[in-house]
């Protein structure tokens, strides 16, 4: 596959305290295996073997040792990995962000990036996300799931519900185009929609019932075109909003010759991804973002808080 998998494992796991006080977040056990085993397993099932793992320099020794152990033996109900992983550790400093690492990786790799968080446990086939990204020659394609409440109470005297960081998501239902993601806490009273957005998508779905799973396909050309002055350090709060906003600004990211040829074929054909105006396919823009929503029967968990960690262990083990 023409994608470079990148596993993000540099988080300290502050919201998992005290579970993460003495253990790197990605090595916290879920169902008797380290947390990062699950995204590695998803990549393995999709046929990937060359994985870049982004970690903090201070955790390199522990994580490298755990990876070596997983290559030899996985102590759980599994047949192990189908492929021999070639895991290249990409160190980042204490002050660097995940977006900075992705920009650096894009500068030395030739493929689009498949980015997955170490705290994601899912049985959603990665192929479905990759196919949508490839079909539309997209800039960004992300996985989301419908919000659900954990069943049962958390163990312990001090168990309290931790509120989810809800987002307001705009989607073009016809094409699954991802129009915007706004933090609900920052838009309690109103949401600003640009004239360009409303002209292109006069009918859109607005929802606060979708959760970002932190699994993305990102175009290499888009990453290379991010200006240094943008100061994108955080993937989720800076880089992704930048890519989404670029859909409505003049100019496009640089695109390689093969993609330009496919865009020409699309433009000359009678196919279109929308109705209601005379614009060409994709509104004549090469910057486009999409969402893939997990089916209700799919397992899709993130273990980034104590309640989520408990829920993940319950569903994996029970």
């Amino acid at each position: 596959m023409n994608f470079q998998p990148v596993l993000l494992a540099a988080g300290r796991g502050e919201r998992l305290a005290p579970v993460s006080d003495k253990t790197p977040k990605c090595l916290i056990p879920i169902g008797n295996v380290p947390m990062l085993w699950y995204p590695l397993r998803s990549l393995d099932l999709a046929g990937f073997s060359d994985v870049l793992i982004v970690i903090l320099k201070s955790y390199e020794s522990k994580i490298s040792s755990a990876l070596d152990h997983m290559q030899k033996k996985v102590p759980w109900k599994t047949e192990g990995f189908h492929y021999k992983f070639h895991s290249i550790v990409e160190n980042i400093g204490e002050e660097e962000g995940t977006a900075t690492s992705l920009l650096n990786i894009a500068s030395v790799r030739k493929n689009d990036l498949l980015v997955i968080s170490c705290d994601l446990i899912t049985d959603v086939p990665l192929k479905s996300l990759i196919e949508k990204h490839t079909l539309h020659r997209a800039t960004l394609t992300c996985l989301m799931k419908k919000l659900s409440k954990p069943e049962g109470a958390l163990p312990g005297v001090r168990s309290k519900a931790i509120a989810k960081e809800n987002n307001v998501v705009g989607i073009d239902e016809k094409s699954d185009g991802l129009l915007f993601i706004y933090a609900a806490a920052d838009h309690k009273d109103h949401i600003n929609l640009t004239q360009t957005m409303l002209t292109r998508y006069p009918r859109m779905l607005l929802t606060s019932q979708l959760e970002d799973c932190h699994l993305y396909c990102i175009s290499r050309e888009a990453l290379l075109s991010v200006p240094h002055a943008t100061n994108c350090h955080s993937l989720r709060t800076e880089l992704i909003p930048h890519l989404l906003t670029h859909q409505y600004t003049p100019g496009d990211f640089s695109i390689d010759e093969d993609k330009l040829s496919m865009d020409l074929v699309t433009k000359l054909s009678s196919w279109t991804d929308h109705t209601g105006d005379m614009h060409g396919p994709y509104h004549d823009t090469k910057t486009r973002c999409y969402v893939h929503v997990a089916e209700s029967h799919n397992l899709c968990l993130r273990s980034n808080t104590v309640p989520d960690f408990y829920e993940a262990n319950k569903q994996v083990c029970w």
Side-chain angles (χ1 to χ4, degrees), residues 236-281:
R236 181 60 188 82
T237 61
E238 293 176 326
L239 179 57
I240 289 179
H242 173 77
L243 298 178
L244 291 171
T245 302
H246 205 278
Q247 296 181 102
Y248 314 107
T249 56
D252 282 304
F253 297 122
S254 60
I255 307 295
D256 63 40
E257 293 184 1
D258 289 339
K259 290 184 178 180
L260 284 175
S261 299
M262 287 303 299
D263 281 337
L264 180 61
V265 171
T266 302
K267 188 174 183 179
L268 294 176
S269 72
S270 60
W271 178 85
T272 184
D273 66 322
H274 65 278
T275 57
D277 59 46
M278 297 299 292
H279 291 291

Side-chain angles (χ1 to χ4, degrees), residues 132-144:
K132 179 172 290 186
H133 185 84
T134 304
L135 174 66
H136 297 290
R137 302 178 301 285
T139 302
L140 168 73
T141 308
C142 69
L143 176 67
M144 292 190 177

Side-chain angles (χ1 to χ4, degrees), residues 27-309:
L27 298 185
I28 295 173
I30 296 178
N32 201 33
V33 292
M35 184 185 294
L36 85 170
W37 181 86
Y38 294 95
L40 284 175
R41 179 63 171 163
S42 294
L43 292 170
D44 176 63
L45 292 174
F48 292 105
S49 59
D50 180 17
V51 181
L52 286 172
I53 303 177
V54 178
I55 65 170
L56 289 174
K57 291 179 181 178
S58 55
Y59 291 156
E60 180 176 7
S61 177
K62 288 184 178 180
I63 295 175
S64 296
S65 176
L67 289 170
D68 289 341
H69 180 72
M70 281 192 290
Q71 294 279 27
K72 298 173 183 176
K73 182 180 179 181
V74 179
W76 200 47
K77 298 176 291 185
T78 174
E79 67 278 13
F81 295 120
H82 291 98
Y83 300 93
K84 175 68 175 178
F85 271 104
H86 304 284
S87 303
I88 303 175
V89 174
E90 174 77 14
N91 285 312
I92 65 173
E94 300 291 335
E95 302 301 324
E96 294 181 69
T98 50
T100 306
S101 296
L102 296 181
L103 296 176
N104 292 337
I105 291 170
S107 66
V108 297
R109 297 285 168 151
K110 297 182 179 180
N111 299 326
D112 288 354
L113 303 186
L114 175 61
V115 183
I116 185 169
S117 175
C118 71
D119 59 22
L120 178 63
I121 303 175
T122 183
D123 60 3
V124 174
L126 301 187
K127 180 181 178 181
S128 58
L129 194 76
I130 292 171
E131 286 180 344
K132 179 172 290 186
H133 185 84
T134 304
L135 174 66
H136 297 290
R137 302 178 301 285
T139 302
L140 168 73
T141 308
C142 69
L143 176 67
M144 292 190 177
K145 70 166 186 174
K146 295 179 180 178
L147 285 175
S148 59
K149 295 181 179 179
E151 298 180 2
L154 293 175
V157 178
R158 299 180 58 188
S159 84
K160 293 183 179 179
I162 298 178
K164 290 280 188 182
E165 296 180 353
N166 288 4
N167 298 309
V168 179
V169 182
I171 298 175
D172 175 33
E173 289 189 284
K174 179 177 176 61
S175 65
D176 289 334
L178 182 59
L179 310 183
F180 59 80
I181 303 175
Y182 295 143
D186 298 334
H187 298 80
K188 294 182 180 179
D189 300 322
H190 64 278
I191 296 176
N192 294 323
L193 304 179
T194 65
Q195 182 176 353
T196 302
M197 187 187 302
L198 291 173
T199 300
R200 291 184 186 177
Y201 309 102
R203 300 183 65 180
M204 66 178 73
L205 170 67
L206 298 179
T207 178
S208 60
Q209 297 303 307
L210 290 177
E211 181 181 357
D212 187 353
C213 297
H214 289 216
L215 173 57
Y216 313 100
C217 291
I218 307 178
S219 163
R220 174 179 180 266
E221 288 78 17
L223 291 171
L224 293 178
S225 300
V226 174
H228 294 291
T230 306
N231 291 323
C232 286
H233 297 291
S234 168
L235 169 63
R236 181 60 188 82
T237 61
E238 293 176 326
L239 179 57
I240 289 179
H242 173 77
L243 298 178
L244 291 171
T245 302
H246 205 278
Q247 296 181 102
Y248 314 107
T249 56
D252 282 304
F253 297 122
S254 60
I255 307 295
D256 63 40
E257 293 184 1
D258 289 339
K259 290 184 178 180
L260 284 175
S261 299
M262 287 303 299
D263 281 337
L264 180 61
V265 171
T266 302
K267 188 174 183 179
L268 294 176
S269 72
S270 60
W271 178 85
T272 184
D273 66 322
H274 65 278
T275 57
D277 59 46
M278 297 299 292
H279 291 291
Y282 304 114
H283 296 279
D284 301 312
T285 179
K286 300 179 185 66
T287 305
R288 36 194 182 253
C289 304
Y290 292 87
V291 62
H292 180 77
V293 180
E295 300 288 344
S296 58
H297 60 81
N298 284 129
L299 177 68
C300 205
L301 304 169
R302 287 194 63 220
S303 304
N304 59 332
T305 65
V306 173
D308 291 334
F309 172 71

